[in-house]
Amino acid sequence: MANPRFLMCRPEHFAVDYAINPWMDPAGWARESTTLVGSARREWSALRRALTRLGAKVDLVPAVAGLPDLVFTANSAVVLDRKVLLARFRHGERRGEEPHFDAAFRALQARGSVDSVERLPDGIVLEGAGDCVWDDTRRLFWMGYGQRSDRAASEPVRDTFGTETVPLELVDPRFYHLDTALCTLTRGEVMFAPAAFTPQALGMIEERVAPSERIEVDTEDACRLAANAVCVGDSLVMSGCSDRLKGALAERGYRAVATPLPSFLRSGGAAFCLTLRLDRRSGAGTAVASAVA
Ligand code: ARG
């Protein structure tokens, strides 16, 4: 497998300055901001190290003062087959990130790292990979809606990438992005927190994921954002999880790599949110790659 590539943003201006999800408490942050700023930087560097140790390459988007959530690059776009579909944010607090991510992807395009940068139709909200999780086994996008992104975003995703999309309705404000509650694993397992979904959405997951491939995350682990994990081969990089979940993963041959991210949990984000995978290929790309290899 080629080295995985991620887009990240140093937490130089990360803070909890406003509240757009129930994790965020600006007053609590302000009380401890001097220590939290340093912790966030150390936690982020450790995450980056954990990924590079697994062979990952990291591209950086410059941090911008006044845009504390820019660090959550998962929300910047959906990327597949070297095509970029830029995000549109729900909240004014994050809309200022859009031109910066746009510029960052155009720079990646100029360097030949991606082929095209596209926009969503007017008025449609989609907060990037945070609500659009690629499933490499089933060759589809699991899409979250009902909290941040619009259900209608599935159509432009289908049109842009030519892939199936499965829209899943999110019901719990703590799990406001799909990536806080669902994670796809290398060998086809899907780790998910049932508490985040409507019964209908759970039905759609169960229809497509065999019982042996389902790894359920209980609410305690979900509240550690254990499902917000980055899967690289057999390793699942995450802020932390219970021994029970660690055991369930080990039984299936996966290693939980804990790299604690408590400062980012204060913003409602963890490992997956802080990264954006840039090198995903749909079926055709993989077939060509393996034919060449
Ligand atoms: N404070 C950020 C927000 O509420 C956190 C985003 C986390 N990103 C994610 N992909 N879940 O938008």
Side-chain angles (χ1 to χ4, degrees), residues 14-16 18-24 68-69 71-76 89 91 94 97 127-131 148 176-180 225 228 264 266-270 272-275:
F14 173 67
V16 177
Y18 48 77
I20 54 171
N21 70 50
W23 300 78
M24 301 175 84
D69 279 341
V71 71
F72 298 113
T73 50
N75 296 123
S76 62
F89 288 91
H91 297 291
R94 294 202 65 183
E97 297 173 34
E127 298 198 341
D131 269 328
R148 291 287 181 88
Y176 56 92
H177 278 142
L178 181 62
D179 69 358
T180 62
L225 293 182
N228 196 256
F264 297 98
R266 288 170 172 261
S267 191
F272 187 94
C273 305
L274 290 166
T275 61

Side-chain angles (χ1 to χ4, degrees), residues 88-90 120-121 123-127 148-151 153:
R88 181 172 297 119
F89 288 91
R90 162 94 33 214
L120 286 161
I124 292 188
V125 170
L126 174 60
E127 298 198 341
R148 291 287 181 88
S149 302
D150 294 333
R151 190 181 195 286

Side-chain angles (χ1 to χ4, degrees), residues 112-291:
S113 303
V114 296
D115 293 332
S116 63
V117 182
E118 295 174 35
R119 278 175 197 290
L120 286 161
D122 284 348
I124 292 188
V125 170
L126 174 60
E127 298 198 341
D131 269 328
C132 195
V133 174
W134 176 245
D135 186 327
D136 213 26
T137 304
R138 293 168 193 83
R139 308 271 158 207
L140 57 80
F141 279 113
W142 299 101
M143 294 189 64
Y145 71 95
Q147 302 284 325
R148 291 287 181 88
S149 302
D150 294 333
R151 190 181 195 286
S154 66
E155 206 180 301
V157 169
R158 226 181 300 132
D159 293 348
T160 305
F161 301 105
T163 54
E164 188 191 345
T165 54
V166 183
L168 302 173
E169 188 173 5
L170 299 169
V171 284
D172 187 324
R174 289 173 300 179
F175 311 120
Y176 56 92
H177 278 142
L178 181 62
D179 69 358
T180 62
L182 182 141
C183 178
T184 58
L185 274 58
T186 305
R187 284 184 290 277
E189 299 85 350
V190 177
M191 178 166 90
F192 64 103
F197 300 97
T198 59
Q200 196 210 5
L202 283 178
M204 294 169 85
I205 296 173
E206 283 160 10
E207 222 169 80
R208 288 167 180 82
V209 183
S212 61
E213 297 177 310
R214 296 179 203 153
I215 303 177
E216 294 201 4
V217 176
D218 63 23
T219 308
E220 198 185 321
D221 272 320
C223 287
R224 292 183 176 125
L225 293 182
N228 196 256
V230 180
C231 192
V232 177
D234 291 341
S235 302
L236 265 176
V237 179
M238 54 166 79
S239 178
C241 74
S242 63
D243 288 342
R244 196 199 61 81
L245 182 55
K246 204 179 280 173
L249 289 168
E251 256 168 45
R252 290 169 166 88
Y254 294 95
R255 186 170 65 104
V257 179
T259 178
L261 299 161
S263 317
F264 297 98
L265 259 71
R266 288 170 172 261
S267 191
F272 187 94
C273 305
L274 290 166
T275 61
L276 177 73
R277 188 82 189 249
L278 296 172
D279 61 311
R280 290 289 193 198
R281 292 289 193 156
S282 65
T286 310
V288 170
S290 47

